Amino acid sequence: NMIIYGTGGSGKSTTLRTLAISAGFGIRGGPCHVYGLDFGSRGLTVLEDLPHVGSIIGGDDIERTVRLLREIRGEIDARAIRYAKSQAATLSEYRKLADKPDEPRIIILIDGIQGFRQIYEGTDKQKWFDVLLSIATDGRPVGVHLLVTGDRPAALPSSLASTMQRRLVLRMASENDLGMLGVPLDGFASESPPGRGYLDGCEIQVAVLGGTANLSEQAVEVKRLSVAMEKAGVSKAPEIGRLSDQIRLSELVSGTPDEPIVGVFEESLLPAAIPTSGTFLLSGPPGSGRTTCLATLALAAKKWSNEAKLVYFGSDKSPLMTLLDWHLCETSPDEIAKLAPDLISAMTSGASQFIVVTEGIADFLNSSADIALQDIGKACLASRQLFIAEGETTSVTGSWPLLQVAKQSRAGIALQPDQNDGPSVYRTPFPRVNRGDFLQGRGLLVVAGKCNTLQVALPE
């Protein structure tokens, strides 16, 4: 690991670019993948053209930053197990002993560590600062390295500074800073160029691709290098993706033999599925996208089992009335109560598969349909059919018998959730979340006491 100290204009970002570019020159010694977190002036973005550079992520992109840290931490854990089995202490030893010459070294660039600390240290995101510290501590033996920049000696906390094996000091703002970093007070002259610094007690000048400090000219040279590397067959580093807020249901796989696909998980960017039987509760505040999500759930379930019959109970003003091809569609509480016995009989006989969708379930409380819907929900549970209920979060927090049936399976989607929604609605603890961080159609999928963030797909 390495820390690069320097004041503004001393060449910190340029040094990181040089290190990232030179990592691509050393392919004879094995591949090297580079990732960057840019909390500075976006001076690292030109590196994204290079095939061995996976992603350069802006400091304000918390989602992708967290995903990068999570994936790197997982990779370190996986490598530690593999290396132990091969009795290898370093990446170089593992490549030889396991005959894996293509195992890549991974370098993480952080331009402006003070910016990272401001967002993640001592805040509700402290967990990810701790993950970065664990990466710095555990990564080096398995070929994962941090290269960070700071503008003053105190930029790094002592816990992170102790993991830095090397230190490059560029021009600093004051002589006091130089003294604290062990550099001669007269080590820099007023005409010292950017990139002039001290490494391992020796004065050095950092090289730049193309021999010019001009960023636009460097970008041209980077593109030329990128073309040459691709011609040489350098493998591409995996990118760090972003969870889109506009996912079409038709873009996802139609389903599996086990479960219907309704969206994409935030953590893994893999398809997210819902259970095929029992009760499933969809909740959320006004404007969270509940109606659209309910349409997606019904369509996905129908896609999963084309022979299943869709049944709708809700409001006659709902757009879902005409959006889907319903086998049964009823909005009158009295009529629901009348058809309930026949529907329950068809369910329990096993002759047909049903998907029952109840929109605005709290509207039926204390109505003539209340007990009928309870019986239908219980019949779905007993015969392993799917009962989907929807309601505004504040309306489904009560303990009415009908709501208890809808919550029976402790499964559902909480759109734009609040941390308190977990115990009160799903009897499941939610992680510390901020409702403002969730877009329309984004929420927590709750299944069997576990919850994961997902983006629900849009219906056609």
Side-chain angles (χ1 to χ4, degrees), residues 113-130 155-159:
I113 188 64
Q114 58 275 6
F116 184 92
R117 292 181 65 186
Q118 185 175 359
I119 296 175
Y120 295 94
E121 187 182 25
T123 68
D124 57 350
K125 301 176 181 63
Q126 174 69 39
K127 169 185 175 182
W128 302 108
F129 183 84
D130 296 338
L156 247 66
S158 57
S159 56

Side-chain angles (χ1 to χ4, degrees), residues 62-104:
I62 295 176
E63 177 191 325
R64 294 176 73 212
T65 298
V66 167
R67 185 170 294 116
L68 172 64
L69 296 176
R70 183 190 296 121
E71 291 188 9
I72 295 298
R73 181 64 252 187
E75 178 66 16
I76 290 174
D77 293 339
R79 288 189 178 194
I81 296 173
R82 295 201 308 269
Y83 289 21
K85 289 181 179 179
S86 299
Q87 297 183 341
T90 65
L91 172 64
S92 300
E93 289 183 8
Y94 177 76
R95 285 171 172 170
K96 293 178 181 178
L97 295 173
D99 193 22
K100 298 284 186 180
D102 293 332
E103 179 92 348

Side-chain angles (χ1 to χ4, degrees), residues 355-377:
I355 300 167
V356 180
V357 176
T358 305
E359 186 175 16
I361 190 169
D363 296 338
F364 293 103
L365 292 173
N366 292 323
S367 72
S368 55
D370 191 324
I371 295 178
L373 287 174
Q374 291 182 50
D375 294 339
I376 292 172

Side-chain angles (χ1 to χ4, degrees), residues 44-55:
L44 303 182
T45 53
V46 297
L47 298 173
E48 286 194 303
D49 289 330
L50 297 170
H52 72 293
V53 176
S55 295

